[in-house]
Amino acid sequence: MFGFSGGESAEAVSRRRADLADARERWPFLTLFDASTIKSEAQLISLVKERSGVARADAERDVQSWTRDRQF
């Protein structure tokens, strides 16, 4: 999701860095290591649920709201 696979355009790298910074602002508990291991929206939802202590439905709403209109 936030990781880099190499051979990506400068635009794609810039967008991912901006998305990562935005995600870390929204969820301060999200570490750089966490971000490098998150590969899907489902993983981000699980992490938000576990770290923030909210119900799964609330984590899903929060993450889906954040990922709307973003390219991953």
Side-chain angles (χ1 to χ4, degrees), residues 6-57:
E8 296 172 308
S9 70
E11 179 184 329
V13 170
S14 178
R15 186 179 61 244
R16 285 185 187 215
R17 285 184 178 159
D19 286 342
L20 173 59
D22 189 39
R24 291 189 71 208
E25 186 175 311
R26 185 167 188 153
W27 301 292
F29 52 77
L30 186 65
T31 67
L32 288 175
F33 178 77
D34 292 334
S36 70
T37 61
I38 295 171
K39 304 293 186 226
S40 68
E41 185 176 288
Q43 287 178 318
L44 181 56
I45 290 168
S46 291
L47 188 68
V48 169
K49 177 191 172 297
E50 290 171 17
R51 298 264 177 91
S52 63
V54 299
R56 180 157 186 86

Side-chain angles (χ1 to χ4, degrees), residues 6 10 17 21 43 63 65-66 68:
R17 285 184 178 159
Q43 287 178 318
V63 170
S65 170
W66 183 81
R68 191 172 302 126

